[in-house]
Amino acid sequence: MLIEALVPAASSYAKDIDFVWELVFWFVAFWFILSEGIFFYFIMKFRKKNSPKAEYISGEEKHQKKWITYPHIAVLICDVFIVVAAVKVWYDVKQDMPPTDRTVRVMSSQWAWTFTHPGPDGKLDTADDIIKNDELHVEVDQLYHYELHSRDVLHDFSVPVFRLKQDAIPGRTIMGWFTPTLTGEFDIQCAEICGIGHGLMGARIFIESKEQHESWMAKNNPRGENLLLASNEGR
Amino acid sequence: MKRIGLWQYVLRVLCGTGLALLVFSNTANAEENERGKQLFEMCSQCHGLQGEGMALSLAPSIAGLELWSLEAQLRKFRDGARGVHHEDIAGMRMRPMSMWLKTDEDLVAVANYVASLPAVTSEATIEGGDATKGKALYGLCQSCHGANGEGLQPLNAPKLTNHTDWYLKTQIYNFKTGIRGSNPKDTTGALMRPMAMALANDQAINDVISYIMTLSK
Ligand SMILES: [Cu+2]
């Protein structure tokens, strides 16, 4: 709720991630307010005017130590909840790969995003691929795999409305997935310092209905850009 | 130490501001170049302190190019007519830098500053080009770029001298393959594309570039 008020949640797992975030937030808020409350209460209660001179204690006796031990155990119990929730969400988002036959290729470079859409035939590396700089077009409620590459240095593919962030590492192909759940146009950003143009390395994601997406494909295809790629080989 | 009263203090501040404004308004012209110089500090990280270019960052020499062509190219980058093709590795680096110039005034100021820098002549790095054959090939180019490669503004054809040869080569290659000049917004780039295609092979490109390099001296 807290995050969604500021950034819409537009992927199937956005709300799960927000849930973990808020779990941490409320645990921390509870302990923060409680401990600060006690702290200020004691400051007021034992101010110089109405209390004797402070006494030095080494804090080794059980009835003294319990003021540390009990809250410590309570915090550890909170941690167990956080760890269980976080591991489950991490597994779903990053380790699990629900199957799909839709894949988009995301190429990062200094300083632009190049998205290769599979086009009407649904397959990458065919003549009807649609290649766009700084524009990613996907269909709502469809599961996508993404194939993340970098041409030069570290980048990070970040889609705030998806709560998705994934480093791109030169020389590696990193796979991941998402399912968009809201239609609209949202930000994509680079979330890893990658040089002087890092701050301007933004792109847009267009989440479209089935009809919108099909008409977009029809309009942009075929572009023949792969013929051009082939002719680049002789460079 | 004598303390001054509040009103006296306010009066002094007002006088000071007025004086400063007077000085600034008198130097408005100099100040535009100041702005250009200040903005150029960012550009120099890739284009070099004197705008002499830097092969490592793929950034060409820009010092002393003509104002109109500098402005036109900066606008093209900014408006997405150049540097948006996915194979244009160098152009994709320059595009965000043009977007960093937030206002038209800034764009013009930095272009003015770059135009005022002394043009540089660079050493040839491409081997095997034949300038004599290149001269014959250049016959095609001179109707637009001028007999001495000086450029012709009425035809939107920029000057070709005082560039590094590797930059000229990538650009001709880019025009040829459509990495540059194929964007629907790039109408003047489209004029140059068939000319690059007229250079049949790598040898022809090297030849014409060796000839262009002799014009820079
Ligand atoms: Cu980046």
Side-chain angles (χ1 to χ4, degrees), chain A residues 109-112 114 131 133 151-152 196-197 200 225 228-229 231-232 235, chain B residues 42 45 84-87 89 92-93 96-97 100 102 170 173-174 177 179:
Chain A
S109 56
Q110 283 174 320
W111 293 279
T114 302
I131 305 178
N133 257 21
R151 213 176 234 149
D152 33 45
I196 192 171
L200 290 155
E225 273 173 323
L228 200 150
L229 273 180
S231 74
N232 282 355
R235 187 171 188 174
Chain B
M42 205 277 285
Q45 303 201 29
V84 286
H85 192 282
H86 60 274
E87 287 291 303
I89 292 169
M92 285 193 291
R93 291 194 186 169
M97 303 306 128
W100 176 79
K102 289 284 177 244
T170 3
Y173 172 82
N174 285 354
T177 50
I179 290 173

Side-chain angles (χ1 to χ4, degrees), chain A residues 218-232:
Chain A
K219 236 190 316 189
N220 285 277
N221 178 67
R223 297 264 312 246
E225 273 173 323
N226 287 288
L227 299 172
L228 200 150
L229 273 180
S231 74
N232 282 355

Side-chain angles (χ1 to χ4, degrees), chain A residues 109 111 113 154-156 190 192 194 198 201:
Chain A
S109 56
W111 293 279
W113 297 97
L154 288 178
H155 298 278
D156 188 304
C190 180
E192 179 67 53
C194 56
H198 166 67
M201 192 174 161

Side-chain angles (χ1 to χ4, degrees), chain A residues 25-40:
Chain A
F25 177 86
W26 288 116
F27 275 144
V28 172
F30 170 76
W31 288 107
F32 178 77
I33 290 165
L34 185 72
S35 53
E36 291 303 289
I38 294 173
F39 186 56
F40 280 99

Side-chain angles (χ1 to χ4, degrees), chain B residues 140-161:
Chain B
L140 171 64
C141 323
Q142 68 181 15
S143 53
C144 292
H145 290 286
N148 300 310
E150 72 278 20
L152 290 174
Q153 181 176 7
L155 299 174
N156 297 305
K159 84 169 184 186
L160 298 179
T161 53

